[in-house]
Amino acid sequence: TTPTATTFTVNADVGINQPGPLSGTVYKTTAASDNNETPNRVYYSKINQPEAVPAINYIDVGSKDKQILRILALRDNLFCLKEDGIFIVTGSGPGNFSVRLLDNSAILTAPDSAVVLNNLIYCLTTQGVVSISDSGVSIVSRNIEDQIKKVTTFNYNFKNTAFGVSYESDRAYLLWLPTTKQDTVATQCFRYSTITNT
């Protein structure tokens, strides 16, 4: 019970040495945080210390109000798939990191669909299924665009249920999507072959 705003009483036996009710004083404390929530920021660690990430070690990527959805690496470049486009972070150390926009017309629509396969990134975007490399974005789902658009434009729950799988030994990208609007998990799979480009 709280007899006053600053005291409390527990009406129970609390131990052998202190039978009966327990009383005390309530102390009010306030806490504040100075954590910045910056959805477009990539932080990097100290050299050879992957768990040491100083607050000043960061790179801003694209618009400050647009979130990074996925970050994937290809060879020497880091690809940031954001709500406002695809960006590349290059450089070998803090002194020469640079960011450039690769494409702002292909926006990642299902974050878990992005995977690396054969030194390319495959994912589901506003342009359909695409492959991403250092030189740009290529659409790979043109032949099945009608089937992909059915899922992505008619209120299917695909953003949280869709996922991609990189199948290196079969040279294939597998994209799992829901089949109906009621599906709560991905129930159909589309397969893209990197050998036959189909």
Side-chain angles (χ1 to χ4, degrees), residues 13-198:
D13 288 338
V14 292
I16 296 171
N17 297 331
Q18 189 178 0
L22 173 68
S23 309
T25 304
V26 175
Y27 296 96
K28 183 178 178 183
T29 60
T30 58
S33 173
D34 61 352
N35 287 346
N36 294 326
E37 189 172 316
T38 313
N40 74 319
R41 195 164 276 179
V42 175
Y43 285 88
Y44 56 90
S45 69
K46 292 180 179 180
I47 295 174
N48 297 323
Q49 297 180 41
E51 294 174 4
V53 184
I56 59 170
N57 285 11
Y58 66 84
I59 305 162
D60 285 326
V61 179
S63 298
K64 189 173 188 171
D65 62 334
K66 300 297 182 183
Q67 181 178 343
I68 296 174
L69 302 172
R70 278 291 178 268
I71 300 175
L72 297 165
L74 293 181
R75 289 192 186 135
D76 298 330
N77 297 326
L78 201 61
F79 289 76
C80 296
L81 286 67
K82 292 189 61 206
E83 292 175 337
D84 59 341
I86 301 166
F87 293 81
I88 298 179
V89 179
T90 58
S92 59
N96 66 359
F97 284 143
S98 66
V99 178
R100 72 177 171 93
L101 176 66
L102 178 69
D103 190 297
N104 63 355
S105 65
I107 309 297
L108 184 65
T109 56
D112 288 336
S113 71
V115 297
V116 175
L117 173 66
N118 197 27
N119 202 41
L120 294 170
I121 296 170
Y122 289 90
C123 59
L124 181 60
T125 70
T126 53
Q127 301 295 320
V129 179
V130 299
S131 67
I132 304 168
S133 68
D134 299 341
S135 56
V137 174
S138 298
I139 299 170
V140 299
S141 62
R142 182 68 183 115
N143 293 338
I144 58 168
E145 193 168 283
D146 58 331
Q147 296 173 60
I148 300 290
K149 279 190 174 182
K150 177 184 173 191
V151 174
T152 60
T153 56
F154 292 110
N155 295 324
Y156 282 65
N157 180 25
F158 76 95
K159 292 183 183 194
N160 299 317
T161 59
F163 64 93
V165 176
S166 166
Y167 195 176
E168 288 282 351
S169 62
D170 194 36
R171 313 294 194 271
Y173 169 67
L174 306 174
L175 175 64
W176 289 84
L177 294 172
T179 308
T180 68
K181 292 182 184 179
Q182 292 76 31
D183 287 343
T184 57
V185 295
T187 54
Q188 66 177 320
C189 180
F190 294 93
R191 180 182 179 277
Y192 175 74
S193 169
T194 61
I195 299 295
T196 61
N197 295 324
T198 56

